[in-house]
Amino acid sequence: MNGLHFIPDNERIILKSPQEIEKMRHSNLIVAEILEEMKTAARPGITTAALEELAEALLAKHKARSAFKGYNGYPAALCTSVNEEVVHGIPSERVHQEGDILSIDFGVIYEDYYGDAAITLPIGHISSEAEGLLRVAEEALYLAIDQARSGNRLLDISATIQRHVEAHGFSVVRDFVGHGIGKHLHEKPQVPNFGEPGRGVRLKPGMTLAIEPMINAGGCEVMILENGWTAVTKDKSLSAHFEHSVAVTENGPYILSKL
Ligand code: CO
């Protein structure tokens, strides 16, 4: 996800050919496979630094490069955001405890195309509040993806997320949004996780979007820690994040980053 300033305003939405979409599928499958490995590795007692090391090794195996490391000076391949951390947590020697929730956001570049996805994982047994937050965030993502259809409007995606999340008493982060993706990690359009249905550009086959709800158990306000990256909830409530890269096609949404 990007802060609202990351995407230059003068660019147009870049439509992709079916051949380009298959190249993006390849990049995103690498992302999906590495995230799958993270699911197995994310256990009580492991550090995020160890997950980072594993991600780096798997990138080398797939001959892919990190999309994030070096992006605006970001120092790692993974974003690992624990509990009240919303996004852009930096891997560290922090040891995961039973009951933590861990969001892992991961992007690659492979043969000129980007892949980007995120999951939030339970570390061991988690509280029922945390479980509900993860479930609603993932449901919001899949309901939103179902709106990524030719003829719909962009904010149909956004409104669907907001409606589902707020119906469950959670809140939607405003300060970070989803984005177009392709030969750049961040392309137009921005994809907010809130808004009015029926607004925004009309969706067309060839659009490729990273849809990424970030939702909080408490209020929607976030602040950035002193490292200049990590966003946390102001009220210290738990936060969850799920992301898929999706192509709008003649045949409906194509989830590029799903195994
Ligand atoms: Co993203």
Side-chain angles (χ1 to χ4, degrees):
M1 83 302 327
N2 50 295
L4 295 171
H5 54 286
F6 277 26
I7 302 174
D9 216 32
N10 53 359
E11 287 173 15
R12 296 185 167 274
I13 295 175
I14 303 165
L15 297 180
K16 280 78 177 182
S17 68
Q19 291 73 23
E20 286 181 289
I21 288 174
E22 279 316 304
K23 297 205 76 164
M24 291 185 65
R25 168 65 168 156
H26 202 130
S27 307
N28 277 287
L29 263 182
I30 296 172
V31 172
E33 282 173 23
I34 295 178
L35 282 177
E36 198 60 31
E37 300 274 352
M38 294 291 144
K39 281 188 196 168
T40 318
R43 294 262 154 87
I46 197 166
T47 65
T48 44
L51 295 175
E52 169 73 14
E53 214 173 285
L54 176 59
E56 293 276 9
L58 293 167
L59 275 169
K61 186 179 123 194
H62 284 96
K63 301 193 184 342
R65 281 187 297 121
S66 166
F68 300 168
K69 198 168 188 170
Y71 185 90
N72 285 357
Y74 186 74
L78 297 178
C79 295
T80 49
S81 307
V82 185
N83 296 341
E84 77 284 356
E85 296 175 354
V86 179
V87 289
H88 301 163
I90 300 174
S92 73
E93 295 302 329
R94 174 174 180 167
V95 176
H96 290 304
Q97 312 289 329
E98 177 105 22
D100 284 345
I101 59 172
L102 168 66
S103 134
I104 301 182
D105 189 349
F106 182 58
V108 309
I109 177 164
Y110 181 78
E111 292 186 350
D112 298 333
Y113 288 88
Y114 282 88
D116 186 10
I119 48 177
T120 303
L121 299 170
I123 304 293
H125 186 261
I126 60 173
S127 70
S128 56
E129 187 203 28
E131 244 170 39
L133 186 73
L134 266 48
R135 194 192 67 245
V136 168
E138 192 170 21
E139 284 169 359
L141 172 60
Y142 281 96
L143 290 169
I145 289 170
D146 193 53
Q147 295 293 319
R149 295 179 180 277
S150 183
N152 277 2
R153 300 276 191 161
L154 181 69
L155 290 207
D156 293 336
I157 294 173
S158 316
T160 297
I161 293 169
Q162 182 176 16
R163 191 182 325 114
H164 188 68
V165 169
E166 292 180 354
H168 287 83
F170 300 132
S171 71
V172 165
V173 172
R174 268 67 168 168
D175 293 7
F176 298 94
V177 295
H179 50 93
I181 181 169
K183 283 192 172 183
H184 312 271
L185 176 60
H186 295 140
E187 296 182 357
K188 282 214 147 185
Q190 296 192 341
V191 185
N193 297 305
F194 58 95
E196 295 273 320
R199 304 264 177 103
V201 294
R202 205 172 279 286
L203 301 178
K204 283 199 242 184
M207 288 183 178
T208 45
L209 305 172
I211 303 174
E212 47 182 317
M214 290 149 263
I215 78 166
N216 300 343
C220 67
E221 293 88 5
V222 306
M223 60 185 200
I224 307 293
L225 297 184
E226 268 167 23
N227 64 22
W229 279 103
T230 308
V232 297
T233 55
K234 267 197 184 159
D235 60 9
K236 303 280 186 277
S237 66
L238 293 177
S239 186
H241 177 208
F242 285 84
E243 174 177 21
H244 270 311
S245 293
V246 177
V248 178
T249 78
E250 304 280 0
N251 306 316
Y254 176 13
I255 308 180
L256 302 171
S257 51
K258 197 168 165 66
L259 270 188

